[in-house]
Amino acid sequence: MATISDVVKRSGISKATVSRVINNHPHVSKEKREKVLAAMKELSYTPNPTARRMRGQLNTTVGLVVHRVVNPYFSYLMDAIERKAAEHNIRVIFFQSKEDKQKEFEFLDLLKQKQVDGMILTTVANSVEDIRPYLEYGPIVFCNEYLRIDDVPIVRISEEDAAFTGVTHLLEEGYRNIAYCTGGLFADEGKDRDRNTGFRKAMEAKQLSINPEWVFIDQHSIEDGRTVMKKITEMDNKPDAIFTGSDEVAAGMTIAAREYGVKIPEDLAVLGFDDQPLCLLTSPQLSTIHQPIEEMGSLAAELIIKLFKGEKLEQLEYELPIKLVKREST
Amino acid sequence: MATISDVVKRSGISKATVSRVINNHPHVSKEKREKVLAAMKELSYTPNPTARRMRGQLNTTVGLVVHRVVNPYFSYLMDAIERKAAEHNIRVIFFQSKEDKQKEFEFLDLLKQKQVDGMILTTVANSVEDIRPYLEYGPIVFCNEYLRIDDVPIVRISEEDAAFTGVTHLLEEGYRNIAYCTGGLFADEGKDRDRNTGFRKAMEAKQLSINPEWVFIDQHSIEDGRTVMKKITEMDNKPDAIFTGSDEVAAGMTIAAREYGVKIPEDLAVLGFDDQPLCLLTSPQLSTIHQPIEEMGSLAAELIIKLFKGEKLEQLEYELPIKLVKREST
DNA sequence: TTGTAAGCGTTATCAT
DNA sequence: ATGATAACGCTTACAA
């Protein structure tokens, strides 16, 4: 690999001026600039990114922390982020946190060590207080997160709107006995709080009350969905529709429905969340809440790139619109 | 961030000796070693990886080129590779090639520029001759590839065995009119050749001949699967089983089957390939060829790590065993 | 406008 | 066993 010194020898021009040309600095005569450019081309010279980084002048690598890459939600997000970053010649290093606090710290340390120049965090295990100190070392962007730190831009959907839209859809289709699933704990904080609010508001708008027996917490997987369906079949007082909060859970329910002879949506309407490709594979195909993953990833990448360039952001919170996709299950 | 010079000041010991301690070199007195270690701890010093890389002494980053991360085959492979790499404190930078030759070169250039210390290539678009020069700059491992370059280790399954096993399964279940799908062109090279050989051998073993009308080439997606099913329903002389070479294609066929009233497996048995999670979501659930993705990724990571350490590999070609998973579609 | 030289944080060479 | 010192490739004061 040719170095800057090779270009110096070849062109007979000083290192400083060559560097100026490389970095498009002004105050270089046309003549010398062209000579340098010629030498660079002849040697097919490329600046060594490692050396640049050591001088502290490089922003080309962003770290991306996801929960698990095999979760389609995250793999689509990665895809969107990587494509946008690639357009700007930014590399993406990725990490799987498995929501392990210790691992998360290890990744954040890469920011401190200048191994990455910025971080996009999609699932934060640690607290605001633990994350904040790392801001000193480089820009951070939250994506699909509910922590709020001053100065940290955040890209997400309105969970309240999503739940409201989903439950309202079920109500409009004529269902009245609505069950509710969540990946969280039906808690009063973060994502849960917002979704719960949406759920409550939708129900209240029709003067309906929430049946606590029909609330399922901590449900994530296809297997969980099967279990939920089983539980419902065993109930005396059964719901006639369910907001699952997850396509996987909804898919699991379709599988179990076949086993138990439950007809979807006649006996039980099932609404997913995310709009993953699997929605088209189940029978019946799943109605769901479409998440604007592509836009979220693309925006998150753009934000961090702006921060790399030292641009000021005119806005810190971005709530992207969801939309309801009606298929066969509701 | 504390630097080696800070440790020097704090401990009153020279840079050279501090460096020796950091790198566990011998010929350092117990006394000084402990002093240095103490200073390092007090300052919570970590060596700067960028500086190390510039000295040419760092092997901590591997580049991983996949076709598309949203393809579950690749996301599971990434997952396996990342987990194994993380065990050894190796970072994974990932790239999506979309099988674009130009992009592939850009990624390989990162090896030249020492942005990554080694490369795992899972889908090579360029020719052997184009790839070979990059070997000079760092180790390369092929995974799920069919190019052969001397000295480049390769991890894959036996495509011939996979096709033979799959087709033989269909024959053993009593099907005789076997259709065949491939993501390739039914060509005489690479992956195709091996799979075709397996297909032929399995058929020949039962003295059956291949009906060229039942061979579908260049089929990849769920949509492709729907099209294949449609074509089959329109045939006068229909096959009674199909080896799809892809779970997606097989899944697409189950969707179309519902639309056209085709019963699987009674009217047409369908065999997938990969054993992706979606196999459990379709009705009927898909029989398929299970790929040892976890093992492939893990092994590929181990190989590149061995090469980082300068270890000699005792073996260059690794063919991992597939197995047939019978579910409801055959 | 141009060039010299210092410095980024390491490791390796060579004396001592 | 230890310590100066050069070197990795680059950018940027500072001087000219």
Side-chain angles (χ1 to χ4, degrees):
Chain A
M1 290 255 53
T3 74
I4 197 172
S5 303
D6 297 324
V7 179
V8 168
K9 280 181 208 148
R10 192 102 165 98
S11 64
I13 294 171
S14 80
K15 214 161 35 160
T17 299
V18 171
S19 174
R20 289 187 187 104
V21 173
I22 293 168
N23 296 286
N24 278 315
H25 281 303
H27 309 305
V28 177
S29 70
K30 197 162 199 154
E31 183 202 11
K32 300 221 171 195
R33 163 163 277 126
E34 275 162 12
K35 268 191 184 166
V36 170
L37 256 17
M40 282 170 52
K41 178 154 281 179
E42 286 165 28
L43 297 164
S44 64
Y45 164 83
T46 343
N48 180 323
T50 305
R52 291 182 132 182
R53 184 184 300 282
M54 234 203 6
R55 285 298 277 101
Q57 303 305 309
L58 199 70
N59 282 330
T60 52
T61 308
V62 49
L64 171 62
V65 181
V66 300
H67 175 43
R68 243 166 92 68
V69 57
V70 296
N71 179 327
Y73 177 82
F74 290 118
S75 67
Y76 276 85
L77 196 57
M78 287 180 68
D79 177 47
I81 290 173
E82 197 271 346
R83 275 184 288 115
K84 177 59 73 180
E87 283 174 23
H88 296 261
N89 277 305
I90 302 281
R91 327 270 164 227
V92 180
I93 304 196
F94 86 101
F95 310 100
Q96 310 198 64
S97 65
K98 316 279 166 77
E99 306 207 54
D100 177 324
K101 296 188 183 190
Q102 193 48 47
K103 282 199 164 203
E104 197 168 284
F105 280 135
E106 285 170 28
F107 300 153
L108 285 164
D109 279 336
L110 300 180
L111 196 57
K112 205 191 270 190
Q113 301 165 197
K114 280 285 171 202
Q115 284 272 78
V116 301
D117 309 300
M119 275 272 174
I120 297 177
L121 302 180
T122 62
T123 318
V124 178
N126 288 290
S127 70
V128 171
E129 300 316 314
D130 292 327
I131 304 283
R132 198 196 304 278
Y134 288 94
L135 277 170
E136 180 188 339
Y137 303 105
I140 293 180
V141 169
F142 286 155
C143 187
N144 183 43
E145 251 301 320
Y146 296 83
L147 284 185
R148 283 299 304 126
I149 303 187
D150 348 317
D151 296 340
V152 175
I154 185 162
V155 178
R156 54 167 162 153
I157 61 163
S158 163
E159 297 287 339
E160 179 180 329
D161 180 35
F164 184 87
T165 302
V167 173
T168 298
H169 165 70
L170 294 173
L171 294 169
E172 281 173 354
E173 294 285 321
Y175 305 104
R176 283 296 174 273
N177 304 312
I178 313 288
Y180 180 89
C181 250
T182 171
L185 304 171
F186 207 67
D188 272 339
E189 45 169 10
K191 189 180 290 196
D192 263 23
R193 187 198 52 219
D194 295 351
R195 275 204 195 173
N196 295 351
T197 304
F199 176 35
R200 289 199 181 101
K201 283 192 182 169
M203 295 294 273
E204 281 166 12
K206 297 271 184 203
Q207 277 95 40
L208 293 171
S209 62
I210 293 171
N211 180 343
E213 282 185 21
W214 294 341
V215 172
F216 301 87
I217 64 172
D218 203 21
Q219 305 296 321
H220 303 86
S221 64
I222 290 177
E223 207 42 56
D224 290 338
R226 300 172 81 134
T227 311
V228 168
M229 181 55 100
K230 182 161 188 290
K231 282 188 185 150
I232 288 178
T233 60
E234 290 162 354
M235 287 178 175
D236 294 329
N237 182 23
K238 296 185 176 60
D240 58 6
I242 183 164
F243 175 87
T244 65
S246 150
D247 284 340
E248 281 96 341
V249 171
M253 293 189 70
T254 67
I255 296 173
R258 256 199 292 158
E259 291 167 15
Y260 298 113
V262 174
K263 285 208 175 63
I264 298 174
E266 294 82 355
D267 301 336
L268 182 72
V270 175
L271 182 61
F273 203 108
D274 277 359
D275 197 16
Q276 294 181 10
L278 67 81
C279 291
L280 301 173
L281 295 177
T282 55
S283 350
Q285 296 189 332
L286 291 173
S287 298
T288 193
I289 307 285
H290 174 83
Q291 289 228 45
I293 300 187
E294 173 70 28
E295 293 78 3
M296 289 176 71
S298 178
L299 178 55
E302 278 171 5
L303 290 174
I304 201 117
I305 289 166
K306 279 189 182 175
L307 292 172
F308 279 171
K309 291 183 182 163
E311 292 178 28
K312 196 100 181 158
L313 301 181
E314 62 287 354
Q315 191 186 338
L316 279 177
E317 270 190 75
Y318 298 83
E319 277 201 345
L320 270 38
I322 55 89
K323 67 170 188 270
L324 185 102
V325 179
K326 175 158 167 37
R327 296 202 180 90
E328 303 166 350
S329 68
T330 57
Chain B
M1 288 256 51
T3 74
I4 197 172
S5 302
D6 297 323
V7 179
V8 168
K9 280 179 208 148
R10 192 106 166 97
S11 65
I13 294 170
S14 80
K15 215 161 36 161
T17 299
V18 171
S19 176
R20 288 189 186 99
V21 173
I22 293 167
N23 296 285
N24 278 316
H25 281 303
H27 310 304
V28 178
S29 71
K30 196 162 202 155
E31 182 202 10
K32 300 221 172 195
R33 162 164 277 127
E34 276 162 12
K35 268 192 185 164
V36 170
L37 255 19
M40 283 170 51
K41 178 155 282 178
E42 287 164 27
L43 297 164
S44 65
Y45 163 84
T46 343
N48 180 322
T50 305
R52 289 184 135 180
R53 184 184 300 281
M54 233 199 11
R55 284 299 280 105
Q57 302 306 309
L58 200 70
N59 282 329
T60 53
T61 308
V62 49
L64 171 61
V65 181
V66 301
H67 175 43
R68 243 168 92 69
V69 58
V70 297
N71 178 327
Y73 177 82
F74 289 118
S75 66
Y76 277 85
L77 195 57
M78 287 180 68
D79 177 47
I81 290 173
E82 197 271 347
R83 276 184 286 116
K84 177 60 74 181
E87 284 174 24
H88 296 261
N89 277 306
I90 302 280
R91 327 270 164 228
V92 180
I93 303 195
F94 86 99
F95 309 101
Q96 308 199 64
S97 65
K98 317 281 169 73
E99 306 206 55
D100 176 323
K101 296 187 182 189
Q102 193 48 47
K103 282 198 166 206
E104 197 168 284
F105 280 134
E106 285 170 28
F107 300 154
L108 285 164
D109 279 336
L110 299 180
L111 196 57
K112 207 191 270 190
Q113 301 166 197
K114 279 286 172 202
Q115 285 272 79
V116 301
D117 309 299
M119 274 273 174
I120 299 177
L121 301 179
T122 62
T123 317
V124 179
N126 288 291
S127 70
V128 171
E129 298 317 315
D130 292 327
I131 304 283
R132 198 195 304 277
Y134 288 94
L135 277 169
E136 179 187 340
Y137 302 106
I140 293 178
V141 169
F142 285 155
C143 188
N144 183 43
E145 251 301 321
Y146 295 83
L147 283 184
R148 283 298 304 128
I149 304 187
D150 349 318
D151 296 341
V152 174
I154 185 162
V155 177
R156 53 166 164 154
I157 62 165
S158 164
E159 297 288 339
E160 178 180 329
D161 180 34
F164 184 86
T165 302
V167 174
T168 298
H169 165 69
L170 294 172
L171 294 168
E172 282 173 354
E173 294 285 322
Y175 306 103
R176 283 296 174 273
N177 304 310
I178 313 287
Y180 180 90
C181 251
T182 170
L185 305 170
F186 208 67
D188 272 339
E189 45 168 11
K191 189 180 289 195
D192 264 22
R193 187 198 52 220
D194 295 352
R195 276 205 194 172
N196 296 351
T197 305
F199 177 35
R200 289 201 181 100
K201 283 192 183 168
M203 295 293 273
E204 281 166 13
K206 296 271 185 203
Q207 276 95 40
L208 293 170
S209 61
I210 293 171
N211 180 342
E213 281 184 21
W214 294 342
V215 172
F216 301 88
I217 64 172
D218 203 20
Q219 305 296 322
H220 302 88
S221 65
I222 289 176
E223 207 41 56
D224 291 337
R226 301 171 80 135
T227 310
V228 168
M229 182 55 99
K230 181 161 187 290
K231 282 190 185 151
I232 288 177
T233 60
E234 290 163 354
M235 287 179 174
D236 293 328
N237 182 25
K238 297 184 174 61
D240 58 7
I242 183 163
F243 176 87
T244 64
S246 149
D247 283 340
E248 281 96 341
V249 171
M253 294 188 70
T254 67
I255 297 174
R258 257 198 294 156
E259 292 166 15
Y260 298 114
V262 174
K263 285 209 175 62
I264 297 174
E266 294 82 354
D267 301 335
L268 182 71
V270 175
L271 182 63
F273 202 107
D274 276 0
D275 197 16
Q276 295 181 9
L278 67 82
C279 291
L280 301 174
L281 295 177
T282 55
S283 347
Q285 296 188 332
L286 292 172
S287 298
T288 193
I289 307 285
H290 174 83
Q291 288 228 45
I293 299 187
E294 174 70 29
E295 294 78 3
M296 289 176 72
S298 178
L299 178 55
E302 278 172 4
L303 290 174
I304 202 118
I305 288 166
K306 278 189 183 174
L307 292 171
F308 280 170
K309 292 182 181 163
E311 291 176 30
K312 196 96 183 165
L313 301 181
E314 62 287 355
Q315 193 184 335
L316 280 178
E317 269 189 77
Y318 298 83
E319 278 201 346
L320 270 39
I322 54 89
K323 66 170 188 270
L324 185 103
V325 179
K326 176 160 167 33
R327 296 202 180 91
E328 303 166 352
S329 69
T330 57

